[in-house]
C-alpha cells in the first residue's frame, strides 16, 4: 500500500494517477474535500483525516509500506505555507510517538519518499520547514529517500499568462543569473520511481533539469511557445511582498517566498555536494508549452463549458 500525502496539489494528483494507472494499491490523505471526491470510486482508499493532526497520519499510515510525503508549498498555486509547520509536526509526532502500537509494529518499517527543495539544508525561506522535516525524519526513520527539487518550471505560469495578454513577462528573477529548474513531469516520474523501487537506508537526491536557465532563456522560450514578441520585466524587490500578497499569499508566506527568491538571485541556493544529482530530460520550452496548453484549455472551458465549439481540439 502506498500513501500519498498530501494528494491535493498537481504533483500529488499526478503521482497518485501514475501509481493507480500501474495497478498499485494507493491511499490518499488530504483535507481537500474536492480532492477526496476526485479519487472516490477510482480504486483509491480515501482517508478522511486532516494532515495537521497526528492521529490522522497514524490512521492513514496503518498498513502502508511506502509514504510519498508532499507537503506545502507543493500542494497548490497558493502554496498553503501557513499549514506547513502543522503538517510537519503532525507527521513527526505520528512516526515518533513512543508507546503506540503503530510505532512499535510498523513505523520504523515504512519507507518514506520526501519531496523537499534545494536550499532546505540551509533552511532558506519557505525551505526552512522542509529542512527541519528532513532532520526530524532522518532521526526517527530507518528508510528515508529525500528528493530535493530545483525550481519547478511550471511556477512560471502566472508570468506566461501576463506575457500572452500583455507581451510582458514579469519575474522575480534578475538578469545574468542562472537558475536550476526542473519540469513537473520529470519530478513526478522520479517520485514514482523512488516509491516503486525504494532504497534501503538514507538517500539524498537532487533533481534538476538538463541545464540551468537565465532570464533571457525564459523569455526566449516564452516567445517560441507564444509565437509573439515578449519583453522581460524584473520586478523591483521592494514591491515583491505586496505583489505576492495580491496574488493570494498571506504575509508570512509572502515573506518566506521573498527570502527564497532573494537567495536564488544572490546565487546562494546551489547544489548540495552531499546529494546525488539527477537530471530530468524536459527542457524549459517543453514545460512552457504544457503551461500554454493548460492556459488555452482553461480559456476555452470558460467560453465553452459544454465543449460544443472546441471539442476534439488540442
Amino acid at each position: 500500500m502506498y500513501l500519498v500525502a498530501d494528494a491535493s496539489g498537481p504533483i500529488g494528483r499526478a503521482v497518485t494517477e501514475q501509481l493507480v494507472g500501474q495497478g498499485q494499491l494507493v491511499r490518499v490523505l488530504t483535507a481537500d474535500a474536492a480532492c477526496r471526491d476526485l479519487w472516490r470510486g477510482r480504486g483509491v482508499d480515501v482517508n478522511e483525516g486532516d494532515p495537521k493532526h497526528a492521529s490522522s497520519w497514524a490512521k492513514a499510515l496503518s498498513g502502508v509500506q511506502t509514504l510519498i510525503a508532499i507537503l506545502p508549498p507543493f500542494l497548490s498555486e497558493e502554496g498553503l505555507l501557513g499549514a506547513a509547520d502543522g503538517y510537519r509536526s503532525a507527521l513527526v509526532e505520528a512516526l515518533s510517538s513512543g508507546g503506540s502500537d503503530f510505532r512499535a509494529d510498523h513505523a520504523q518499517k515504512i519507507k518514506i519518499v520526501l519531496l523537499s527543495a534545494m536550499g532546505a539544508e540551509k533552511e532558506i525561506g519557505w525551505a526552512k520547514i522542509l529542512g527541519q522535516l528532513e532532520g526530524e525524519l532522518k532521526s526517527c526513520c530507518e528508510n528515508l529517500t529525500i528528493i530535493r527539487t530545483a525550481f519547478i518550471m511550471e511556477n512560471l505560469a502566472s508570468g506566461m499568462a501576463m506575457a500572452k495578454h500583455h507581451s510582458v513577462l514579469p519575474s522575480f528573477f534578475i538578469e545574468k543569473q542562472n537558475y536550476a529548474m526542473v519540469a513537473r513531469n520529470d519530478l513526478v516520474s522520479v517520485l514514482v520511481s523512488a516509491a516503486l523501487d525504494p532504497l534501503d537506508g538514507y538517500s539524498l537526491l537532487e533533481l534538476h533539469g538538463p541545464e540551468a536557465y537565465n532570464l533571457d532563456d525564459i523569455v526566449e522560450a516564452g516567445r517560441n511557445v507564444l509565437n509573439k514578441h515578449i519583453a522581460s520585466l524584473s520586478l523591483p524587490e521592494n514591491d515583491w511582498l505586496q505583489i505576492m500578497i495580491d496574488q493570494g499569499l498571506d504575509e508570512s508566506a509572502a515573506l518566506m517566498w521573498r527570502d527564497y527568491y532573494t537567495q536564488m538571485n544572490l546565487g546562494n541556493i546551489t547544489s548540495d555536494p552531499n546529494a546525488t544529482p539527477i537530471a530530468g530530460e524536459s527542457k524549459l520550452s517543453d514545460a512552457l508549452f504544457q503551461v500554454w496548453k493548460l492556459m488555452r484549455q482553461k480559456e476555452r472551458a470558460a467560453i465553452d463549458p459544454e465543449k460544443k465549439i472546441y471539442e476534439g481540439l488540442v
Side-chain angles (χ1 to χ4, degrees), residues 60-74:
L61 286 164
S62 178
V64 165
Q65 284 74 50
T66 303
L67 162 65
I68 303 100
I70 304 171
L71 276 61
F74 300 112

Side-chain angles (χ1 to χ4, degrees), residues 38-313:
L38 174 69
W39 294 114
R40 284 193 178 95
R42 297 191 59 189
V44 175
D45 182 6
V46 178
N47 190 282
E48 298 291 338
D50 186 335
K52 294 189 292 295
H53 298 146
S55 58
S56 295
W57 281 101
K59 181 179 178 181
L61 286 164
S62 178
V64 165
Q65 284 74 50
T66 303
L67 162 65
I68 303 100
I70 304 171
L71 276 61
F74 300 112
L75 304 191
S76 69
E77 293 177 359
E78 292 75 23
L80 294 177
L81 277 170
D85 201 45
Y87 279 53
R88 177 194 61 80
S89 59
L91 172 57
V92 173
E93 181 182 346
L95 289 169
S96 59
S97 55
S100 67
D101 291 338
F102 167 72
R103 172 65 181 175
D105 297 338
H106 193 55
Q108 290 186 340
K109 299 178 183 177
I110 294 176
K111 296 182 184 295
I112 299 178
V113 178
L114 171 66
L115 175 57
S116 188
M118 290 179 64
E121 76 282 6
K122 300 177 181 178
E123 299 191 355
I124 291 173
W126 57 263
K128 177 179 180 179
I129 295 172
L130 293 173
Q132 293 172 340
L133 180 58
E134 286 184 12
E136 290 167 329
L137 292 181
K138 189 176 179 181
S139 67
C140 72
C141 302
E142 295 181 357
N143 298 296
L144 172 64
T145 298
I146 297 172
I147 299 172
R148 289 188 188 149
T149 180
F151 181 87
I152 299 173
M153 296 173 181
E154 285 79 1
N155 287 343
L156 297 169
S158 59
M160 282 289 288
M162 183 69 73
K164 181 177 185 295
H165 296 291
H166 302 288
S167 300
V168 174
L169 196 155
S171 175
F172 297 114
F173 293 151
I174 60 174
E175 294 182 357
K176 299 181 180 179
Q177 178 66 273
N178 290 324
Y179 301 92
M181 298 186 185
V182 68
R184 185 184 294 152
N185 65 304
D186 286 335
L187 174 56
V188 169
S189 295
V190 169
L191 286 169
V192 171
S193 295
L196 291 175
D197 190 18
L199 300 170
D200 291 327
Y202 172 74
S203 300
L204 175 60
L205 311 177
E206 190 173 84
L207 177 63
H208 50 80
E211 57 185 311
Y213 298 95
N214 59 35
L215 191 54
D216 288 340
D217 297 326
I218 296 170
V219 170
E220 183 64 24
R223 287 172 182 162
N224 292 337
V225 169
L226 297 174
N227 195 27
K228 62 181 292 187
H229 176 78
I230 60 175
S232 64
L233 173 64
S234 291
L235 298 168
E237 189 169 351
N238 290 339
D239 296 339
W240 289 2
L241 194 61
Q242 188 58 53
I243 291 170
M244 293 175 183
I245 292 173
D246 291 344
Q247 290 177 335
L249 295 178
D250 61 37
E251 185 171 355
S252 62
L255 284 168
M256 286 188 280
W257 270 108
R258 184 196 65 182
D259 292 346
Y260 194 81
Y261 274 114
T262 296
Q263 296 304 314
M264 288 183 72
N265 290 341
L266 291 172
N268 291 334
I269 297 182
T270 57
S271 294
D272 185 341
N274 297 313
T276 301
I278 302 176
E281 298 180 353
S282 300
K283 296 182 178 180
L284 179 60
S285 56
D286 300 327
L288 293 187
F289 179 71
Q290 296 303 318
V291 167
W292 172 77
K293 283 178 61 177
L294 183 59
M295 285 165 43
R296 189 164 63 170
Q297 289 169 2
K298 288 181 178 180
E299 290 173 352
R300 287 175 173 175
I303 297 171
D304 181 32
E306 297 182 2
K307 299 183 179 179
K308 294 181 178 179
I309 302 172
Y310 297 113
E311 186 174 9
L313 297 179

